[in-house]
PDB file of all heavy atoms in Angstrom:
ATOM      1  N   SER J 933      91.167 121.788 102.767  1.00  0.00           N
ATOM      2  CA  SER J 933      91.597 122.013 101.378  1.00  0.00           C
ATOM      3  C   SER J 933      91.877 120.668 100.726  1.00  0.00           C
ATOM      4  O   SER J 933      92.067 119.655 101.417  1.00  0.00           O
ATOM      5  CB  SER J 933      92.882 122.851 101.351  1.00  0.00           C
ATOM      6  OG  SER J 933      93.922 122.129 101.996  1.00  0.00           O
ATOM      7  N   GLY J 934      91.948 120.682  99.403  1.00  0.00           N
ATOM      8  CA  GLY J 934      92.341 119.466  98.694  1.00  0.00           C
ATOM      9  C   GLY J 934      93.755 119.058  99.074  1.00  0.00           C
ATOM     10  O   GLY J 934      94.072 117.882  99.230  1.00  0.00           O
ATOM     11  N   GLN J 935      94.606 120.081  99.235  1.00  0.00           N
ATOM     12  CA  GLN J 935      96.006 119.805  99.566  1.00  0.00           C
ATOM     13  C   GLN J 935      96.113 119.019 100.878  1.00  0.00           C
ATOM     14  O   GLN J 935      96.865 118.044 100.969  1.00  0.00           O
ATOM     15  CB  GLN J 935      96.737 121.152  99.684  1.00  0.00           C
ATOM     16  CG  GLN J 935      98.231 121.055  99.701  1.00  0.00           C
ATOM     17  CD  GLN J 935      98.831 120.640  98.360  1.00  0.00           C
ATOM     18  OE1 GLN J 935      98.178 120.692  97.332  1.00  0.00           O
ATOM     19  NE2 GLN J 935     100.061 120.186  98.400  1.00  0.00           N
ATOM     20  N   TYR J 959      98.932 117.283  89.719  1.00  0.00           N
ATOM     21  CA  TYR J 959      98.824 118.700  90.080  1.00  0.00           C
ATOM     22  C   TYR J 959     100.130 119.130  90.760  1.00  0.00           C
ATOM     23  O   TYR J 959     100.689 118.382  91.583  1.00  0.00           O
ATOM     24  CB  TYR J 959      97.623 118.866  91.022  1.00  0.00           C
ATOM     25  CG  TYR J 959      97.626 120.124  91.819  1.00  0.00           C
ATOM     26  CD1 TYR J 959      97.546 121.359  91.196  1.00  0.00           C
ATOM     27  CD2 TYR J 959      97.724 120.093  93.206  1.00  0.00           C
ATOM     28  CE1 TYR J 959      97.566 122.526  91.936  1.00  0.00           C
ATOM     29  CE2 TYR J 959      97.737 121.258  93.950  1.00  0.00           C
ATOM     30  CZ  TYR J 959      97.665 122.471  93.311  1.00  0.00           C
ATOM     31  OH  TYR J 959      97.689 123.623  94.046  1.00  0.00           O
ATOM     32  N   GLU J1002      95.888 110.712  89.166  1.00  0.00           N
ATOM     33  CA  GLU J1002      94.716 111.569  88.967  1.00  0.00           C
ATOM     34  C   GLU J1002      93.889 110.982  87.826  1.00  0.00           C
ATOM     35  O   GLU J1002      94.442 110.669  86.763  1.00  0.00           O
ATOM     36  CB  GLU J1002      95.149 113.002  88.637  1.00  0.00           C
ATOM     37  CG  GLU J1002      95.704 113.713  89.853  1.00  0.00           C
ATOM     38  CD  GLU J1002      96.287 115.088  89.551  1.00  0.00           C
ATOM     39  OE1 GLU J1002      96.068 115.619  88.452  1.00  0.00           O
ATOM     40  OE2 GLU J1002      96.978 115.617  90.441  1.00  0.00           O
ATOM     41  N   ASN J1006      95.905 117.371  84.592  1.00  0.00           N
ATOM     42  CA  ASN J1006      95.794 118.795  84.325  1.00  0.00           C
ATOM     43  C   ASN J1006      97.202 119.310  84.052  1.00  0.00           C
ATOM     44  O   ASN J1006      98.109 118.957  84.793  1.00  0.00           O
ATOM     45  CB  ASN J1006      95.148 119.407  85.594  1.00  0.00           C
ATOM     46  CG  ASN J1006      95.526 120.818  85.854  1.00  0.00           C
ATOM     47  OD1 ASN J1006      95.808 121.582  84.950  1.00  0.00           O
ATOM     48  ND2 ASN J1006      95.540 121.172  87.133  1.00  0.00           N
ATOM     49  N   ASP J1031      93.085 110.667  92.848  1.00  0.00           N
ATOM     50  CA  ASP J1031      92.617 112.047  92.963  1.00  0.00           C
ATOM     51  C   ASP J1031      91.583 112.240  91.848  1.00  0.00           C
ATOM     52  O   ASP J1031      91.922 112.296  90.663  1.00  0.00           O
ATOM     53  CB  ASP J1031      93.802 113.013  92.823  1.00  0.00           C
ATOM     54  CG  ASP J1031      93.390 114.464  93.039  1.00  0.00           C
ATOM     55  OD1 ASP J1031      92.228 114.803  92.726  1.00  0.00           O
ATOM     56  OD2 ASP J1031      94.233 115.266  93.492  1.00  0.00           O
ATOM     57  N   THR J1033      89.474 114.787  91.482  1.00  0.00           N
ATOM     58  CA  THR J1033      89.031 116.189  91.546  1.00  0.00           C
ATOM     59  C   THR J1033      88.355 116.656  90.261  1.00  0.00           C
ATOM     60  O   THR J1033      87.297 117.279  90.294  1.00  0.00           O
ATOM     61  CB  THR J1033      90.252 117.095  91.840  1.00  0.00           C
ATOM     62  OG1 THR J1033      90.724 116.797  93.150  1.00  0.00           O
ATOM     63  CG2 THR J1033      89.906 118.570  91.749  1.00  0.00           C
ATOM     64  N   SER J1053      90.017 117.751  95.743  1.00  0.00           N
ATOM     65  CA  SER J1053      89.934 119.171  96.042  1.00  0.00           C
ATOM     66  C   SER J1053      88.480 119.520  95.777  1.00  0.00           C
ATOM     67  O   SER J1053      88.055 119.643  94.623  1.00  0.00           O
ATOM     68  CB  SER J1053      90.862 119.994  95.142  1.00  0.00           C
ATOM     69  OG  SER J1053      90.516 121.360  95.289  1.00  0.00           O
ATOM     70  N   THR J1055      87.242 122.239  96.378  1.00  0.00           N
ATOM     71  CA  THR J1055      87.310 123.628  95.918  1.00  0.00           C
ATOM     72  C   THR J1055      86.886 123.753  94.455  1.00  0.00           C
ATOM     73  O   THR J1055      86.405 124.798  94.031  1.00  0.00           O
ATOM     74  CB  THR J1055      88.779 124.104  96.036  1.00  0.00           C
ATOM     75  OG1 THR J1055      89.334 123.645  97.268  1.00  0.00           O
ATOM     76  CG2 THR J1055      88.899 125.592  95.924  1.00  0.00           C
ATOM     77  N   LYS J1056      87.094 122.684  93.695  1.00  0.00           N
ATOM     78  CA  LYS J1056      86.881 122.732  92.234  1.00  0.00           C
ATOM     79  C   LYS J1056      85.433 122.361  91.903  1.00  0.00           C
ATOM     80  O   LYS J1056      84.528 123.066  92.266  1.00  0.00           O
ATOM     81  CB  LYS J1056      87.888 121.831  91.535  1.00  0.00           C
ATOM     82  CG  LYS J1056      89.295 121.855  92.111  1.00  0.00           C
ATOM     83  CD  LYS J1056      89.942 123.208  92.008  1.00  0.00           C
ATOM     84  CE  LYS J1056      91.380 123.135  92.511  1.00  0.00           C
ATOM     85  NZ  LYS J1056      91.967 124.411  92.792  1.00  0.00           N
ATOM     86  N   GLY J1066      88.107 123.364 100.203  1.00  0.00           N
ATOM     87  CA  GLY J1066      87.754 122.172 100.969  1.00  0.00           C
ATOM     88  C   GLY J1066      88.340 120.951 100.297  1.00  0.00           C
ATOM     89  O   GLY J1066      88.734 121.004  99.122  1.00  0.00           O
ATOM     90  N   ILE J1221      90.312 125.997  88.882  1.00  0.00           N
ATOM     91  CA  ILE J1221      89.543 125.243  87.885  1.00  0.00           C
ATOM     92  C   ILE J1221      88.204 124.877  88.527  1.00  0.00           C
ATOM     93  O   ILE J1221      88.033 124.971  89.741  1.00  0.00           O
ATOM     94  CB  ILE J1221      90.277 123.956  87.414  1.00  0.00           C
ATOM     95  CG1 ILE J1221      90.670 123.091  88.620  1.00  0.00           C
ATOM     96  CG2 ILE J1221      91.484 124.298  86.560  1.00  0.00           C
ATOM     97  CD1 ILE J1221      91.257 121.743  88.238  1.00  0.00           C
TER      98      ILE J1221
HETATM   99  N1  PLP A1510      94.322 117.951  93.556  1.00  0.00           N
HETATM  100  C1  PLP A1510      94.099 118.524  92.356  1.00  0.00           C
HETATM  101  C2  PLP A1510      93.918 117.649  91.150  1.00  0.00           C
HETATM  102  C3  PLP A1510      94.054 119.921  92.220  1.00  0.00           C
HETATM  103  O1  PLP A1510      93.829 120.480  91.018  1.00  0.00           O
HETATM  104  C4  PLP A1510      94.241 120.714  93.379  1.00  0.00           C
HETATM  105  C5  PLP A1510      94.237 122.198  93.312  1.00  0.00           C
HETATM  106  O2  PLP A1510      94.401 122.800  92.275  1.00  0.00           O
HETATM  107  C6  PLP A1510      94.483 120.094  94.597  1.00  0.00           C
HETATM  108  C7  PLP A1510      94.489 118.713  94.663  1.00  0.00           C
HETATM  109  C8  PLP A1510      94.686 120.905  95.845  1.00  0.00           C
HETATM  110  O3  PLP A1510      93.443 121.404  96.252  1.00  0.00           O
HETATM  111  P1  PLP A1510      93.211 122.774  97.075  1.00  0.00           P
HETATM  112  O4  PLP A1510      93.608 123.891  96.176  1.00  0.00           O
HETATM  113  O5  PLP A1510      91.753 122.715  97.381  1.00  0.00           O
HETATM  114  O6  PLP A1510      94.066 122.701  98.290  1.00  0.00           O
END
Side-chain angles (χ1 to χ4, degrees):
S933 63
Q935 194 70 16
Y959 161 63
E1002 287 174 13
N1006 151 30
D1031 184 330
T1033 294
S1053 168
T1055 318
K1056 320 297 184 196
I1221 54 174

